[in-house]
Amino acid sequence: MIARLFNFRGGVKPESHKNESSTTPIAPVVLPPRLVIPLRQGARSAARCVVEVGQKVRKGERIGEGEGFLGTAVHASTSGTIIEIAPYPMAHASSLDTLSVVIEPDGADEWIEHGPFDLRSVPRDAVLKYLRDQGIVGLGGATFPTHIKLGNGRDIDTLVVNGAECEPWITCDDRLMRERAAEILSGVTILRELIGAARVLVGIEDNKPEAIAAMRESAAALSEPIEIVPVPTLYPAGGEKQLIRVLTGIEIAHGKLGTEFGVQCFNVGTAYAVHRAIRHGEPLISRVVTLTGNVEHPGNHEVLIGTPVESLLPLARPKSGTDRYLTGGPMMGIALGNLSVPTTKGSNCVIAASRALFPPPPPELPCIRCGSCARACPASLQPFELYWFSRAKNFGKAQEYHLFDCIECGCCAFVCPSHIPLVDYFRFSKSEIWAREREVTAADQARDRFEFRNFRQEREKDEKAAKLAAKAAETRAKLSDTAGGDAVADEDPKKALIAAALARAKQQKAAVAQATAEAPGGDAPATTDASREKAKLEGSDATS
């Protein structure tokens, strides 16, 4: 057991609302009328479409190949026919469209051929490539590609498994640990083997006693020691850096990663997905999603990736008074502007909101610089300063105050007495900075293309001039030989070429004259190639 736990700075204690949805088992998959599977499952994970409209696909078949360094594969969640490949709204605050593959299920739910993957018979890089092809990403919300995170793991001493689930209302990880603890720990042992960690710590908030008991029971049956550690309930204890701090005392510095300190962190849902991929050969095509809020039947459901939110609502039966829906928790989630958006690998919760559960925020008031936000910030930032710089669009100064260290947990907005939506300002600043960086990059690329075009044109001009000079030198040499050694070194190359052509014409004329004289009758042809070439050259010389 761990000798002691550590504290992280800041944090808040909102009402958890966990019991509403954590008391019933995970409900099995319900097949929707159609699946809309985005080829972009997160901000970092993109895929290139490899299927066509009208194509029949089976469950688990790859429909998108990982594109770019952070890309991971995307698969069909069930068998059926691809009826459309088109942009559809994604579950994002912007509600922008992203290219998606629409599948009409055939009801057979027919799997592709699949089976266990023997990770000990192949090199480590082959295992990481296999996880990439299976579409395994982090299921804690960020959807960071697991193969990249594992690939960065070198000299790792401690593997931290995140079962804290600190966000209010969300209980999908809680139910997963209660019901599938053995499978989670199977995935943990695989992760441990891939990064070579000597120690494994599973952090679970102490408001989940059933999950702690189930995980400890499964861990006791393993030959390798895995420590199940209850941590104090304090939001955001589930943040990666915060949980590492609580369990190990290691403070991850600004701009650094846990791997640089010998520690790596994965979510329990990710460990379960790794288990399914390695032990059963199944790609990531479903996940547990919490349906809660102002509903008659809150609970957790196994949901196929690509299931529209509107197809999930009948399972929970929203009550009257529901005025909007949130995806994610109330602290870091976003309001859905369109219920046709599909669930993705990062979707962990859908909340039916009402004015009774989530009263509309009071009007925003001026900042009084009370410092409450700074005291609550778990990243040790000064949110009130970042607010002023963001509001003034002084993005350079905001970056100086470590804007990108903000994890957007919402603690600052939660305690703000002026009801300022601070996180919205920070997201705005980040998006503006990213947009300007993209513009600068595009301008740099355009300048590089322009400069290379000029360089290429100059190079081609020089090459043409060199070829012309070489040909002129060759011609002068021939003329020098013909003239008995009198070279015309200073003659213009164009004139030299004309002179050479005239000389050839004279030679041809002499040859024709000789042939005519020797021929019977002595009749000369009306026109010859020599005469035609001479006429052309003389005409060209006259015009010049």
Side-chain angles (χ1 to χ4, degrees):
M1 297 296 292
I2 289 184
R4 58 172 294 194
L5 294 176
F6 300 85
N7 296 322
F8 63 88
R9 187 182 182 280
V12 295
K13 289 188 176 182
E15 293 186 31
S16 63
H17 290 282
K18 301 283 190 180
N19 293 332
E20 284 87 339
S21 58
S22 65
T23 56
T24 56
I26 299 172
V29 171
V30 175
L31 202 60
R34 68 174 187 167
L35 294 165
V36 182
I37 305 176
L39 292 172
R40 177 176 291 278
Q41 290 288 318
R44 300 177 178 89
S45 179
R48 176 178 58 85
C49 185
V50 295
V51 292
E52 299 176 348
V53 174
Q55 181 176 335
K56 301 283 187 180
V57 292
R58 291 185 292 172
K59 187 175 184 177
E61 185 173 339
R62 192 181 309 169
I63 61 175
E65 286 184 348
E67 192 172 41
F69 177 67
L70 296 177
T72 55
V74 179
H75 303 78
S77 303
T78 189
S79 59
T81 304
I82 297 174
I83 60 173
E84 189 180 11
I85 301 174
Y88 274 80
M90 59 182 175
H92 187 268
S94 65
S95 294
L96 293 175
D97 292 347
T98 187
L99 189 64
S100 305
V101 176
V102 183
I103 299 178
E104 186 178 68
D106 57 14
D109 208 33
E110 180 186 0
W111 268 100
I112 59 171
E113 293 184 7
H114 61 290
F117 181 82
D118 187 1
L119 74 164
R120 293 181 179 84
S121 64
V122 297
R124 183 175 183 271
D125 289 343
V127 181
L128 301 185
K129 183 179 182 300
Y130 175 77
L131 292 176
R132 179 181 190 262
D133 293 340
Q134 295 296 87
I136 308 301
V137 297
L139 298 185
T143 63
F144 192 85
T146 301
H147 70 281
I148 297 295
K149 208 167 183 179
L150 288 169
N152 292 335
R154 294 290 187 273
D155 302 321
I156 299 299
D157 176 68
T158 305
L159 169 61
V160 171
V161 182
N162 191 344
E165 196 171 53
C166 58
E167 182 106 7
W169 295 93
I170 306 176
T171 59
C172 54
D173 287 349
D174 184 5
R175 288 307 315 187
L176 193 68
M177 289 185 287
R178 293 193 202 187
E179 301 180 32
R180 304 173 189 177
E183 291 90 338
I184 292 172
L185 294 181
S186 170
V188 170
T189 58
I190 295 171
L191 294 171
R192 179 183 203 168
E193 184 174 344
L194 289 174
I195 64 175
R199 189 184 189 193
V200 179
L201 305 174
V202 182
I204 307 173
E205 278 194 336
D206 54 16
N207 61 355
K208 305 174 183 62
E210 295 87 352
I212 294 171
M215 293 288 282
R216 280 179 171 169
E217 182 180 351
S218 295
L222 298 176
S223 57
E224 302 175 1
I226 295 179
E227 301 176 55
I228 311 300
V229 186
V231 300
T233 300
L234 179 66
Y235 180 84
E240 181 173 312
K241 291 185 177 182
Q242 286 70 38
L243 186 61
I244 289 174
R245 166 67 182 170
V246 169
L247 292 176
T248 67
I250 297 173
E251 188 82 40
I252 308 298
H254 163 64
K256 301 292 184 180
L257 299 174
T259 52
E260 300 177 54
F261 297 84
V263 61
Q264 187 65 284
C265 183
F266 292 92
N267 179 264
V268 291
T270 308
Y272 178 75
V274 169
H275 161 78
R276 300 301 303 181
I278 299 295
R279 305 301 186 202
H280 301 277
E282 297 178 4
L284 181 53
I285 58 173
S286 68
R287 64 156 300 148
V288 180
V289 177
T290 302
L291 303 180
T292 187
N294 188 43
V295 296
E296 295 180 6
H297 301 294
N300 289 276
H301 298 259
E302 186 84 29
V303 176
L304 296 177
I305 304 300
T307 303
V309 170
E310 59 192 0
S311 298
L312 297 176
L313 299 182
L315 303 176
R317 295 186 183 178
K319 299 178 183 178
S320 61
T322 300
D323 55 3
R324 67 190 185 281
Y325 294 89
L326 310 176
T327 179
M331 300 294 288
M332 298 183 69
I334 59 171
L336 290 175
N338 191 333
L339 295 182
S340 65
V341 299
T343 54
T344 63
K345 297 176 183 180
S347 302
N348 55 8
C349 182
V350 176
I351 303 177
S354 66
R355 297 178 69 89
L357 291 177
F358 301 98
E364 179 180 335
L365 300 174
C367 173
I368 59 175
R369 291 184 176 269
C370 64
S372 297
C373 54
R375 289 189 292 272
C377 179
S380 301
L381 302 177
Q382 297 180 27
F384 59 92
E385 296 285 6
L386 290 173
Y387 160 71
W388 285 111
F389 296 136
S390 298
R391 188 182 180 96
K393 298 184 180 180
N394 189 346
F395 304 124
K397 202 68 176 177
Q399 284 183 280
E400 291 181 15
Y401 276 74
H402 308 299
L403 170 68
F404 286 95
D405 275 3
C406 171
I407 61 175
E408 301 178 15
C409 63
C411 289
C412 53
F414 182 80
V415 300
C416 179
S418 295
H419 313 294
I420 301 172
L422 294 166
V423 176
D424 291 344
Y425 283 99
F426 305 155
R427 287 172 177 164
F428 164 74
S429 293
K430 290 180 181 180
S431 63
E432 282 293 312
I433 292 169
W434 287 328
R436 294 185 183 191
E437 288 178 350
R438 285 194 296 268
E439 290 176 359
V440 170
T441 301
D444 290 343
Q445 292 174 345
R447 185 186 65 250
D448 291 342
R449 290 196 302 270
F450 176 74
E451 291 177 350
F452 179 76
R453 174 179 173 272
N454 290 343
F455 167 76
R456 176 173 53 80
Q457 289 178 338
E458 288 294 327
R459 183 189 63 195
E460 291 174 352
K461 184 178 178 181
D462 292 342
E463 290 175 353
K464 183 181 284 187
K467 288 180 181 178
L468 182 62
K471 191 171 182 180
E474 182 182 355
T475 301
R476 283 195 297 270
K478 289 180 179 179
L479 288 174
S480 177
D481 294 341
T482 304
D486 296 331
V488 284
D490 297 331
E491 194 173 358
D492 183 74
K494 183 176 180 181
K495 292 183 179 180
L497 292 175
I498 294 173
L502 288 171
R504 287 196 303 272
K506 290 178 181 179
Q507 291 175 357
Q508 291 178 3
K509 183 176 180 181
V512 169
Q514 183 179 358
T516 304
E518 295 175 354
D523 293 332
T527 59
T528 64
D529 291 340
S531 62
R532 283 195 298 269
E533 185 171 356
K534 179 180 179 182
K536 288 168 60 178
L537 289 169
E538 289 175 347
S540 173
D541 193 34
T543 56
S544 63

